[in-house]
Amino acid sequence: MKQLFPDLWETREEHPFHGVTTHAYLLTQDRGNALFYSTGIGEELLEIQRLGGVSRQYLSHRDEAGQPLATIKKMFGNQLCCDALEVNAISQYSKIDVVFEGPSVEPDKVEVIQTPGHTAGSTCFVFCSPHGPRYLFTGDLIYPEDDGWGTLVQSHAGGQKKTLCESLMKLREVSPDVVISSASVRRSAVQAVTSDQWRAVIDQAVARS
């Protein structure tokens, strides 16, 4: 585990596809730790246990589902959370405890933003850290790629170009300090941005979509 901020940790990288790097991120707080995305690395789960375990695991979309979900739930007894439109694809791996039907602020102060486009139920999460940064977890809706940012529409999973662009414009107003994707291509998934830089990233992504 690599500590990025006082309350945020990154698991070791995994490579599900050629050129693609993924991580999970543990947000530590007194009201219960939150795990964003997923990891199947046993040593990292032991580190997560050392850091206080997991109260909630947040998935941004179905591509983060797999056998590790059941392992994590068995180890930590956590709640698994995802959007209603991703339930069918994810529930084959583990029981889902919290289903998002709309935007919300969860008991652990994680803000849920529904952002369809990559898949039908793609979801982003915002957390305002008491240590200062405003984190935006984007899943695969938008991700660092080489010297820019990429997007991908998975039409077989209900993704649509129109809704992707609408979701990107929604994220334009978030003004994050740190953007954390679930995957990246030849570049770190964790990017510090200013408000102006982030708006420019979104505008360029929409123009290319």
PDB file of all heavy atoms in Angstrom, residues 80-120:
ATOM      1  N   LEU A  80     -21.320  -3.624   0.254  1.00  0.00           N
ATOM      2  CA  LEU A  80     -20.934  -3.427  -1.135  1.00  0.00           C
ATOM      3  C   LEU A  80     -21.956  -2.502  -1.781  1.00  0.00           C
ATOM      4  O   LEU A  80     -23.169  -2.726  -1.672  1.00  0.00           O
ATOM      5  CB  LEU A  80     -20.885  -4.765  -1.863  1.00  0.00           C
ATOM      6  CG  LEU A  80     -20.466  -4.729  -3.336  1.00  0.00           C
ATOM      7  CD1 LEU A  80     -19.057  -4.169  -3.490  1.00  0.00           C
ATOM      8  CD2 LEU A  80     -20.559  -6.124  -3.950  1.00  0.00           C
ATOM      9  N   CYS A  81     -21.475  -1.469  -2.467  1.00  0.00           N
ATOM     10  CA  CYS A  81     -22.340  -0.397  -2.966  1.00  0.00           C
ATOM     11  C   CYS A  81     -22.143  -0.189  -4.461  1.00  0.00           C
ATOM     12  O   CYS A  81     -21.007  -0.132  -4.947  1.00  0.00           O
ATOM     13  CB  CYS A  81     -22.017   0.917  -2.253  1.00  0.00           C
ATOM     14  SG  CYS A  81     -21.828   0.798  -0.454  1.00  0.00           S
ATOM     15  N   CYS A  82     -23.266  -0.042  -5.200  1.00  0.00           N
ATOM     16  CA  CYS A  82     -23.177   0.251  -6.630  1.00  0.00           C
ATOM     17  C   CYS A  82     -24.503   0.819  -7.124  1.00  0.00           C
ATOM     18  O   CYS A  82     -25.510   0.809  -6.415  1.00  0.00           O
ATOM     19  CB  CYS A  82     -22.805  -0.992  -7.430  1.00  0.00           C
ATOM     20  SG  CYS A  82     -24.116  -2.236  -7.564  1.00  0.00           S
ATOM     21  N   ASP A  83     -24.506   1.298  -8.349  1.00  0.00           N
ATOM     22  CA  ASP A  83     -25.711   1.848  -8.977  1.00  0.00           C
ATOM     23  C   ASP A  83     -26.688   0.742  -9.344  1.00  0.00           C
ATOM     24  O   ASP A  83     -26.298  -0.404  -9.638  1.00  0.00           O
ATOM     25  CB  ASP A  83     -25.321   2.629 -10.230  1.00  0.00           C
ATOM     26  CG  ASP A  83     -26.505   3.344 -10.845  1.00  0.00           C
ATOM     27  OD1 ASP A  83     -26.819   4.452 -10.391  1.00  0.00           O
ATOM     28  OD2 ASP A  83     -27.121   2.775 -11.774  1.00  0.00           O
ATOM     29  N   ALA A  84     -27.965   1.078  -9.343  1.00  0.00           N
ATOM     30  CA  ALA A  84     -29.020   0.104  -9.637  1.00  0.00           C
ATOM     31  C   ALA A  84     -28.837  -0.547 -11.003  1.00  0.00           C
ATOM     32  O   ALA A  84     -29.148  -1.737 -11.181  1.00  0.00           O
ATOM     33  CB  ALA A  84     -30.388   0.788  -9.562  1.00  0.00           C
ATOM     34  N   LEU A  85     -28.321   0.192 -11.986  1.00  0.00           N
ATOM     35  CA  LEU A  85     -28.178  -0.342 -13.336  1.00  0.00           C
ATOM     36  C   LEU A  85     -26.966  -1.261 -13.490  1.00  0.00           C
ATOM     37  O   LEU A  85     -26.791  -1.878 -14.547  1.00  0.00           O
ATOM     38  CB  LEU A  85     -28.110   0.800 -14.349  1.00  0.00           C
ATOM     39  CG  LEU A  85     -29.371   1.658 -14.447  1.00  0.00           C
ATOM     40  CD1 LEU A  85     -29.187   2.785 -15.446  1.00  0.00           C
ATOM     41  CD2 LEU A  85     -30.580   0.808 -14.821  1.00  0.00           C
ATOM     42  N   GLU A  86     -26.155  -1.361 -12.451  1.00  0.00           N
ATOM     43  CA  GLU A  86     -25.007  -2.266 -12.482  1.00  0.00           C
ATOM     44  C   GLU A  86     -25.236  -3.524 -11.644  1.00  0.00           C
ATOM     45  O   GLU A  86     -24.397  -4.436 -11.617  1.00  0.00           O
ATOM     46  CB  GLU A  86     -23.756  -1.548 -11.982  1.00  0.00           C
ATOM     47  CG  GLU A  86     -23.417  -0.281 -12.751  1.00  0.00           C
ATOM     48  CD  GLU A  86     -23.027  -0.558 -14.204  1.00  0.00           C
ATOM     49  OE1 GLU A  86     -21.928  -1.075 -14.444  1.00  0.00           O
ATOM     50  OE2 GLU A  86     -23.846  -0.249 -15.105  1.00  0.00           O
ATOM     51  N   VAL A  87     -26.363  -3.592 -10.954  1.00  0.00           N
ATOM     52  CA  VAL A  87     -26.611  -4.671  -9.998  1.00  0.00           C
ATOM     53  C   VAL A  87     -26.562  -6.049 -10.658  1.00  0.00           C
ATOM     54  O   VAL A  87     -25.926  -6.981 -10.144  1.00  0.00           O
ATOM     55  CB  VAL A  87     -27.965  -4.462  -9.277  1.00  0.00           C
ATOM     56  CG1 VAL A  87     -28.397  -5.729  -8.557  1.00  0.00           C
ATOM     57  CG2 VAL A  87     -27.861  -3.306  -8.288  1.00  0.00           C
ATOM     58  N   ASN A  88     -27.231  -6.213 -11.780  1.00  0.00           N
ATOM     59  CA  ASN A  88     -27.300  -7.540 -12.405  1.00  0.00           C
ATOM     60  C   ASN A  88     -25.911  -8.077 -12.741  1.00  0.00           C
ATOM     61  O   ASN A  88     -25.635  -9.272 -12.566  1.00  0.00           O
ATOM     62  CB  ASN A  88     -28.161  -7.487 -13.665  1.00  0.00           C
ATOM     63  CG  ASN A  88     -29.638  -7.379 -13.353  1.00  0.00           C
ATOM     64  OD1 ASN A  88     -30.065  -7.638 -12.235  1.00  0.00           O
ATOM     65  ND2 ASN A  88     -30.424  -6.974 -14.334  1.00  0.00           N
ATOM     66  N   ALA A  89     -25.044  -7.207 -13.223  1.00  0.00           N
ATOM     67  CA  ALA A  89     -23.702  -7.642 -13.612  1.00  0.00           C
ATOM     68  C   ALA A  89     -22.811  -7.912 -12.410  1.00  0.00           C
ATOM     69  O   ALA A  89     -21.960  -8.802 -12.452  1.00  0.00           O
ATOM     70  CB  ALA A  89     -23.058  -6.592 -14.516  1.00  0.00           C
ATOM     71  N   ILE A  90     -23.007  -7.158 -11.327  1.00  0.00           N
ATOM     72  CA  ILE A  90     -22.121  -7.259 -10.167  1.00  0.00           C
ATOM     73  C   ILE A  90     -22.571  -8.319  -9.187  1.00  0.00           C
ATOM     74  O   ILE A  90     -21.753  -9.008  -8.565  1.00  0.00           O
ATOM     75  CB  ILE A  90     -22.013  -5.879  -9.471  1.00  0.00           C
ATOM     76  CG1 ILE A  90     -21.321  -4.871 -10.405  1.00  0.00           C
ATOM     77  CG2 ILE A  90     -21.249  -5.984  -8.155  1.00  0.00           C
ATOM     78  CD1 ILE A  90     -21.334  -3.444  -9.893  1.00  0.00           C
ATOM     79  N   SER A  91     -23.882  -8.510  -9.055  1.00  0.00           N
ATOM     80  CA  SER A  91     -24.406  -9.389  -7.995  1.00  0.00           C
ATOM     81  C   SER A  91     -24.062 -10.857  -8.210  1.00  0.00           C
ATOM     82  O   SER A  91     -24.195 -11.664  -7.297  1.00  0.00           O
ATOM     83  CB  SER A  91     -25.925  -9.227  -7.882  1.00  0.00           C
ATOM     84  OG  SER A  91     -26.562  -9.564  -9.099  1.00  0.00           O
ATOM     85  N   GLN A  92     -23.603 -11.244  -9.394  1.00  0.00           N
ATOM     86  CA  GLN A  92     -23.193 -12.633  -9.610  1.00  0.00           C
ATOM     87  C   GLN A  92     -21.925 -12.971  -8.836  1.00  0.00           C
ATOM     88  O   GLN A  92     -21.607 -14.152  -8.641  1.00  0.00           O
ATOM     89  CB  GLN A  92     -22.983 -12.894 -11.097  1.00  0.00           C
ATOM     90  CG  GLN A  92     -21.910 -12.048 -11.753  1.00  0.00           C
ATOM     91  CD  GLN A  92     -21.800 -12.297 -13.239  1.00  0.00           C
ATOM     92  OE1 GLN A  92     -21.540 -13.426 -13.675  1.00  0.00           O
ATOM     93  NE2 GLN A  92     -22.030 -11.272 -14.031  1.00  0.00           N
ATOM     94  N   TYR A  93     -21.211 -11.940  -8.366  1.00  0.00           N
ATOM     95  CA  TYR A  93     -19.970 -12.158  -7.630  1.00  0.00           C
ATOM     96  C   TYR A  93     -20.137 -11.995  -6.122  1.00  0.00           C
ATOM     97  O   TYR A  93     -19.390 -12.593  -5.353  1.00  0.00           O
ATOM     98  CB  TYR A  93     -18.895 -11.185  -8.115  1.00  0.00           C
ATOM     99  CG  TYR A  93     -18.532 -11.385  -9.555  1.00  0.00           C
ATOM    100  CD1 TYR A  93     -19.041 -10.539 -10.542  1.00  0.00           C
ATOM    101  CD2 TYR A  93     -17.696 -12.422  -9.942  1.00  0.00           C
ATOM    102  CE1 TYR A  93     -18.713 -10.714 -11.876  1.00  0.00           C
ATOM    103  CE2 TYR A  93     -17.363 -12.610 -11.277  1.00  0.00           C
ATOM    104  CZ  TYR A  93     -17.873 -11.755 -12.239  1.00  0.00           C
ATOM    105  OH  TYR A  93     -17.554 -11.941 -13.565  1.00  0.00           O
ATOM    106  N   SER A  94     -21.083 -11.172  -5.697  1.00  0.00           N
ATOM    107  CA  SER A  94     -21.254 -10.915  -4.270  1.00  0.00           C
ATOM    108  C   SER A  94     -22.602 -10.252  -4.023  1.00  0.00           C
ATOM    109  O   SER A  94     -23.146  -9.567  -4.902  1.00  0.00           O
ATOM    110  CB  SER A  94     -20.127 -10.008  -3.753  1.00  0.00           C
ATOM    111  OG  SER A  94     -20.306  -9.722  -2.383  1.00  0.00           O
ATOM    112  N   LYS A  95     -23.117 -10.445  -2.825  1.00  0.00           N
ATOM    113  CA  LYS A  95     -24.334  -9.749  -2.409  1.00  0.00           C
ATOM    114  C   LYS A  95     -24.080  -8.255  -2.367  1.00  0.00           C
ATOM    115  O   LYS A  95     -23.052  -7.793  -1.883  1.00  0.00           O
ATOM    116  CB  LYS A  95     -24.760 -10.235  -1.023  1.00  0.00           C
ATOM    117  CG  LYS A  95     -25.959  -9.505  -0.431  1.00  0.00           C
ATOM    118  CD  LYS A  95     -26.288 -10.067   0.948  1.00  0.00           C
ATOM    119  CE  LYS A  95     -27.465  -9.322   1.582  1.00  0.00           C
ATOM    120  NZ  LYS A  95     -27.120  -7.933   1.929  1.00  0.00           N
ATOM    121  N   ILE A  96     -25.026  -7.490  -2.910  1.00  0.00           N
ATOM    122  CA  ILE A  96     -24.936  -6.028  -2.890  1.00  0.00           C
ATOM    123  C   ILE A  96     -25.825  -5.512  -1.771  1.00  0.00           C
ATOM    124  O   ILE A  96     -26.987  -5.897  -1.647  1.00  0.00           O
ATOM    125  CB  ILE A  96     -25.360  -5.448  -4.257  1.00  0.00           C
ATOM    126  CG1 ILE A  96     -24.393  -5.943  -5.337  1.00  0.00           C
ATOM    127  CG2 ILE A  96     -25.385  -3.927  -4.211  1.00  0.00           C
ATOM    128  CD1 ILE A  96     -24.833  -5.628  -6.736  1.00  0.00           C
ATOM    129  N   ASP A  97     -25.277  -4.621  -0.975  1.00  0.00           N
ATOM    130  CA  ASP A  97     -25.977  -4.137   0.218  1.00  0.00           C
ATOM    131  C   ASP A  97     -26.605  -2.761   0.040  1.00  0.00           C
ATOM    132  O   ASP A  97     -27.638  -2.465   0.636  1.00  0.00           O
ATOM    133  CB  ASP A  97     -25.004  -4.078   1.401  1.00  0.00           C
ATOM    134  CG  ASP A  97     -24.315  -5.409   1.631  1.00  0.00           C
ATOM    135  OD1 ASP A  97     -24.957  -6.311   2.198  1.00  0.00           O
ATOM    136  OD2 ASP A  97     -23.147  -5.553   1.222  1.00  0.00           O
ATOM    137  N   VAL A  98     -25.976  -1.904  -0.758  1.00  0.00           N
ATOM    138  CA  VAL A  98     -26.452  -0.536  -0.949  1.00  0.00           C
ATOM    139  C   VAL A  98     -26.567  -0.283  -2.447  1.00  0.00           C
ATOM    140  O   VAL A  98     -25.587  -0.416  -3.184  1.00  0.00           O
ATOM    141  CB  VAL A  98     -25.504   0.493  -0.311  1.00  0.00           C
ATOM    142  CG1 VAL A  98     -26.006   1.915  -0.556  1.00  0.00           C
ATOM    143  CG2 VAL A  98     -25.347   0.229   1.188  1.00  0.00           C
ATOM    144  N   VAL A  99     -27.769   0.071  -2.889  1.00  0.00           N
ATOM    145  CA  VAL A  99     -28.032   0.320  -4.305  1.00  0.00           C
ATOM    146  C   VAL A  99     -28.389   1.790  -4.488  1.00  0.00           C
ATOM    147  O   VAL A  99     -29.295   2.311  -3.833  1.00  0.00           O
ATOM    148  CB  VAL A  99     -29.177  -0.577  -4.815  1.00  0.00           C
ATOM    149  CG1 VAL A  99     -29.509  -0.248  -6.268  1.00  0.00           C
ATOM    150  CG2 VAL A  99     -28.804  -2.047  -4.668  1.00  0.00           C
ATOM    151  N   PHE A 100     -27.680   2.456  -5.380  1.00  0.00           N
ATOM    152  CA  PHE A 100     -27.928   3.872  -5.641  1.00  0.00           C
ATOM    153  C   PHE A 100     -29.008   4.027  -6.704  1.00  0.00           C
ATOM    154  O   PHE A 100     -28.875   3.539  -7.814  1.00  0.00           O
ATOM    155  CB  PHE A 100     -26.652   4.573  -6.107  1.00  0.00           C
ATOM    156  CG  PHE A 100     -25.481   4.383  -5.181  1.00  0.00           C
ATOM    157  CD1 PHE A 100     -24.266   3.922  -5.668  1.00  0.00           C
ATOM    158  CD2 PHE A 100     -25.595   4.655  -3.833  1.00  0.00           C
ATOM    159  CE1 PHE A 100     -23.185   3.744  -4.827  1.00  0.00           C
ATOM    160  CE2 PHE A 100     -24.521   4.482  -2.976  1.00  0.00           C
ATOM    161  CZ  PHE A 100     -23.311   4.023  -3.471  1.00  0.00           C
ATOM    162  N   GLU A 101     -30.081   4.727  -6.335  1.00  0.00           N
ATOM    163  CA  GLU A 101     -31.171   5.008  -7.270  1.00  0.00           C
ATOM    164  C   GLU A 101     -31.120   6.450  -7.762  1.00  0.00           C
ATOM    165  O   GLU A 101     -31.839   6.831  -8.681  1.00  0.00           O
ATOM    166  CB  GLU A 101     -32.517   4.765  -6.583  1.00  0.00           C
ATOM    167  CG  GLU A 101     -32.707   3.354  -6.049  1.00  0.00           C
ATOM    168  CD  GLU A 101     -33.092   2.361  -7.125  1.00  0.00           C
ATOM    169  OE1 GLU A 101     -33.259   2.773  -8.293  1.00  0.00           O
ATOM    170  OE2 GLU A 101     -33.220   1.167  -6.794  1.00  0.00           O
ATOM    171  N   GLY A 102     -30.285   7.256  -7.163  1.00  0.00           N
ATOM    172  CA  GLY A 102     -30.165   8.663  -7.514  1.00  0.00           C
ATOM    173  C   GLY A 102     -28.996   9.268  -6.768  1.00  0.00           C
ATOM    174  O   GLY A 102     -28.320   8.586  -5.997  1.00  0.00           O
ATOM    175  N   PRO A 103     -28.727  10.559  -6.975  1.00  0.00           N
ATOM    176  CA  PRO A 103     -27.628  11.198  -6.259  1.00  0.00           C
ATOM    177  C   PRO A 103     -27.892  11.191  -4.756  1.00  0.00           C
ATOM    178  O   PRO A 103     -29.039  11.260  -4.313  1.00  0.00           O
ATOM    179  CB  PRO A 103     -27.610  12.620  -6.826  1.00  0.00           C
ATOM    180  CG  PRO A 103     -28.980  12.828  -7.389  1.00  0.00           C
ATOM    181  CD  PRO A 103     -29.446  11.490  -7.857  1.00  0.00           C
ATOM    182  N   SER A 104     -26.822  11.088  -3.982  1.00  0.00           N
ATOM    183  CA  SER A 104     -26.979  11.020  -2.528  1.00  0.00           C
ATOM    184  C   SER A 104     -25.674  11.386  -1.848  1.00  0.00           C
ATOM    185  O   SER A 104     -24.614  11.431  -2.483  1.00  0.00           O
ATOM    186  CB  SER A 104     -27.401   9.617  -2.093  1.00  0.00           C
ATOM    187  OG  SER A 104     -26.381   8.672  -2.397  1.00  0.00           O
ATOM    188  N   VAL A 105     -25.765  11.663  -0.556  1.00  0.00           N
ATOM    189  CA  VAL A 105     -24.588  11.766   0.296  1.00  0.00           C
ATOM    190  C   VAL A 105     -24.722  10.661   1.329  1.00  0.00           C
ATOM    191  O   VAL A 105     -25.684  10.629   2.101  1.00  0.00           O
ATOM    192  CB  VAL A 105     -24.471  13.146   0.969  1.00  0.00           C
ATOM    193  CG1 VAL A 105     -23.262  13.166   1.899  1.00  0.00           C
ATOM    194  CG2 VAL A 105     -24.366  14.249  -0.077  1.00  0.00           C
ATOM    195  N   GLU A 106     -23.787   9.731   1.330  1.00  0.00           N
ATOM    196  CA  GLU A 106     -23.867   8.548   2.166  1.00  0.00           C
ATOM    197  C   GLU A 106     -23.449   8.847   3.609  1.00  0.00           C
ATOM    198  O   GLU A 106     -22.878   9.902   3.890  1.00  0.00           O
ATOM    199  CB  GLU A 106     -23.003   7.445   1.562  1.00  0.00           C
ATOM    200  CG  GLU A 106     -23.466   6.988   0.181  1.00  0.00           C
ATOM    201  CD  GLU A 106     -24.901   6.488   0.205  1.00  0.00           C
ATOM    202  OE1 GLU A 106     -25.175   5.496   0.893  1.00  0.00           O
ATOM    203  OE2 GLU A 106     -25.759   7.114  -0.455  1.00  0.00           O
ATOM    204  N   PRO A 107     -23.753   7.945   4.543  1.00  0.00           N
ATOM    205  CA  PRO A 107     -23.435   8.199   5.955  1.00  0.00           C
ATOM    206  C   PRO A 107     -21.958   8.470   6.221  1.00  0.00           C
ATOM    207  O   PRO A 107     -21.621   9.144   7.210  1.00  0.00           O
ATOM    208  CB  PRO A 107     -23.891   6.908   6.648  1.00  0.00           C
ATOM    209  CG  PRO A 107     -24.971   6.371   5.771  1.00  0.00           C
ATOM    210  CD  PRO A 107     -24.540   6.704   4.387  1.00  0.00           C
ATOM    211  N   ASP A 108     -21.073   7.968   5.362  1.00  0.00           N
ATOM    212  CA  ASP A 108     -19.643   8.227   5.551  1.00  0.00           C
ATOM    213  C   ASP A 108     -19.184   9.480   4.814  1.00  0.00           C
ATOM    214  O   ASP A 108     -17.984   9.709   4.634  1.00  0.00           O
ATOM    215  CB  ASP A 108     -18.808   7.026   5.111  1.00  0.00           C
ATOM    216  CG  ASP A 108     -19.091   6.603   3.670  1.00  0.00           C
ATOM    217  OD1 ASP A 108     -19.894   7.275   2.991  1.00  0.00           O
ATOM    218  OD2 ASP A 108     -18.510   5.588   3.244  1.00  0.00           O
ATOM    219  N   LYS A 109     -20.165  10.303   4.387  1.00  0.00           N
ATOM    220  CA  LYS A 109     -19.911  11.603   3.740  1.00  0.00           C
ATOM    221  C   LYS A 109     -19.398  11.474   2.302  1.00  0.00           C
ATOM    222  O   LYS A 109     -18.898  12.454   1.737  1.00  0.00           O
ATOM    223  CB  LYS A 109     -18.949  12.467   4.560  1.00  0.00           C
ATOM    224  CG  LYS A 109     -19.379  12.677   6.007  1.00  0.00           C
ATOM    225  CD  LYS A 109     -20.754  13.317   6.110  1.00  0.00           C
ATOM    226  CE  LYS A 109     -21.161  13.537   7.565  1.00  0.00           C
ATOM    227  NZ  LYS A 109     -22.525  14.082   7.701  1.00  0.00           N
ATOM    228  N   VAL A 110     -19.506  10.300   1.724  1.00  0.00           N
ATOM    229  CA  VAL A 110     -19.178  10.125   0.311  1.00  0.00           C
ATOM    230  C   VAL A 110     -20.378  10.564  -0.522  1.00  0.00           C
ATOM    231  O   VAL A 110     -21.496  10.090  -0.312  1.00  0.00           O
ATOM    232  CB  VAL A 110     -18.815   8.657   0.008  1.00  0.00           C
ATOM    233  CG1 VAL A 110     -18.684   8.438  -1.499  1.00  0.00           C
ATOM    234  CG2 VAL A 110     -17.532   8.266   0.723  1.00  0.00           C
ATOM    235  N   GLU A 111     -20.139  11.482  -1.447  1.00  0.00           N
ATOM    236  CA  GLU A 111     -21.198  11.964  -2.335  1.00  0.00           C
ATOM    237  C   GLU A 111     -21.242  11.104  -3.593  1.00  0.00           C
ATOM    238  O   GLU A 111     -20.211  10.865  -4.236  1.00  0.00           O
ATOM    239  CB  GLU A 111     -20.954  13.420  -2.717  1.00  0.00           C
ATOM    240  CG  GLU A 111     -22.017  13.998  -3.645  1.00  0.00           C
ATOM    241  CD  GLU A 111     -21.738  15.416  -4.080  1.00  0.00           C
ATOM    242  OE1 GLU A 111     -20.753  16.003  -3.586  1.00  0.00           O
ATOM    243  OE2 GLU A 111     -22.503  15.939  -4.926  1.00  0.00           O
ATOM    244  N   VAL A 112     -22.426  10.639  -3.926  1.00  0.00           N
ATOM    245  CA  VAL A 112     -22.632   9.787  -5.090  1.00  0.00           C
ATOM    246  C   VAL A 112     -23.176  10.631  -6.235  1.00  0.00           C
ATOM    247  O   VAL A 112     -24.177  11.346  -6.083  1.00  0.00           O
ATOM    248  CB  VAL A 112     -23.629   8.655  -4.766  1.00  0.00           C
ATOM    249  CG1 VAL A 112     -23.918   7.816  -5.997  1.00  0.00           C
ATOM    250  CG2 VAL A 112     -23.083   7.786  -3.629  1.00  0.00           C
ATOM    251  N   ILE A 113     -22.512  10.559  -7.387  1.00  0.00           N
ATOM    252  CA  ILE A 113     -22.951  11.281  -8.584  1.00  0.00           C
ATOM    253  C   ILE A 113     -23.160  10.257  -9.696  1.00  0.00           C
ATOM    254  O   ILE A 113     -22.222   9.576 -10.109  1.00  0.00           O
ATOM    255  CB  ILE A 113     -21.911  12.326  -9.031  1.00  0.00           C
ATOM    256  CG1 ILE A 113     -21.589  13.302  -7.906  1.00  0.00           C
ATOM    257  CG2 ILE A 113     -22.418  13.080 -10.256  1.00  0.00           C
ATOM    258  CD1 ILE A 113     -20.506  14.299  -8.255  1.00  0.00           C
ATOM    259  N   GLN A 114     -24.379  10.136 -10.175  1.00  0.00           N
ATOM    260  CA  GLN A 114     -24.655   9.199 -11.263  1.00  0.00           C
ATOM    261  C   GLN A 114     -24.195   9.803 -12.584  1.00  0.00           C
ATOM    262  O   GLN A 114     -24.613  10.897 -12.964  1.00  0.00           O
ATOM    263  CB  GLN A 114     -26.131   8.852 -11.279  1.00  0.00           C
ATOM    264  CG  GLN A 114     -26.526   8.018 -10.053  1.00  0.00           C
ATOM    265  CD  GLN A 114     -28.000   7.709 -10.001  1.00  0.00           C
ATOM    266  OE1 GLN A 114     -28.806   8.615 -10.043  1.00  0.00           O
ATOM    267  NE2 GLN A 114     -28.333   6.431  -9.878  1.00  0.00           N
ATOM    268  N   THR A 115     -23.310   9.063 -13.257  1.00  0.00           N
ATOM    269  CA  THR A 115     -22.675   9.571 -14.476  1.00  0.00           C
ATOM    270  C   THR A 115     -22.671   8.497 -15.561  1.00  0.00           C
ATOM    271  O   THR A 115     -21.620   7.959 -15.919  1.00  0.00           O
ATOM    272  CB  THR A 115     -21.227  10.009 -14.175  1.00  0.00           C
ATOM    273  OG1 THR A 115     -20.552   8.942 -13.475  1.00  0.00           O
ATOM    274  CG2 THR A 115     -21.204  11.268 -13.321  1.00  0.00           C
ATOM    275  N   PRO A 116     -23.834   8.146 -16.094  1.00  0.00           N
ATOM    276  CA  PRO A 116     -23.874   7.121 -17.142  1.00  0.00           C
ATOM    277  C   PRO A 116     -23.137   7.570 -18.396  1.00  0.00           C
ATOM    278  O   PRO A 116     -22.928   8.759 -18.628  1.00  0.00           O
ATOM    279  CB  PRO A 116     -25.371   6.967 -17.401  1.00  0.00           C
ATOM    280  CG  PRO A 116     -25.963   8.292 -17.000  1.00  0.00           C
ATOM    281  CD  PRO A 116     -25.154   8.739 -15.832  1.00  0.00           C
ATOM    282  N   GLY A 117     -22.744   6.590 -19.186  1.00  0.00           N
ATOM    283  CA  GLY A 117     -22.070   6.896 -20.444  1.00  0.00           C
ATOM    284  C   GLY A 117     -21.007   5.871 -20.773  1.00  0.00           C
ATOM    285  O   GLY A 117     -20.986   5.314 -21.865  1.00  0.00           O
ATOM    286  N   HIS A 118     -20.107   5.623 -19.837  1.00  0.00           N
ATOM    287  CA  HIS A 118     -19.136   4.539 -20.017  1.00  0.00           C
ATOM    288  C   HIS A 118     -19.890   3.210 -19.993  1.00  0.00           C
ATOM    289  O   HIS A 118     -19.731   2.371 -20.880  1.00  0.00           O
ATOM    290  CB  HIS A 118     -18.087   4.597 -18.913  1.00  0.00           C
ATOM    291  CG  HIS A 118     -17.128   3.438 -18.932  1.00  0.00           C
ATOM    292  ND1 HIS A 118     -16.357   3.127 -20.030  1.00  0.00           N
ATOM    293  CD2 HIS A 118     -16.818   2.505 -17.982  1.00  0.00           C
ATOM    294  CE1 HIS A 118     -15.619   2.058 -19.769  1.00  0.00           C
ATOM    295  NE2 HIS A 118     -15.881   1.658 -18.532  1.00  0.00           N
ATOM    296  N   THR A 119     -20.696   3.003 -18.956  1.00  0.00           N
ATOM    297  CA  THR A 119     -21.703   1.942 -18.907  1.00  0.00           C
ATOM    298  C   THR A 119     -23.017   2.599 -18.501  1.00  0.00           C
ATOM    299  O   THR A 119     -23.063   3.797 -18.183  1.00  0.00           O
ATOM    300  CB  THR A 119     -21.333   0.835 -17.900  1.00  0.00           C
ATOM    301  OG1 THR A 119     -21.361   1.383 -16.576  1.00  0.00           O
ATOM    302  CG2 THR A 119     -19.963   0.253 -18.190  1.00  0.00           C
ATOM    303  N   ALA A 120     -24.074   1.814 -18.467  1.00  0.00           N
ATOM    304  CA  ALA A 120     -25.391   2.374 -18.141  1.00  0.00           C
ATOM    305  C   ALA A 120     -25.437   2.981 -16.746  1.00  0.00           C
ATOM    306  O   ALA A 120     -26.102   3.998 -16.515  1.00  0.00           O
ATOM    307  CB  ALA A 120     -26.459   1.292 -18.269  1.00  0.00           C
TER     308      ALA A 120
END
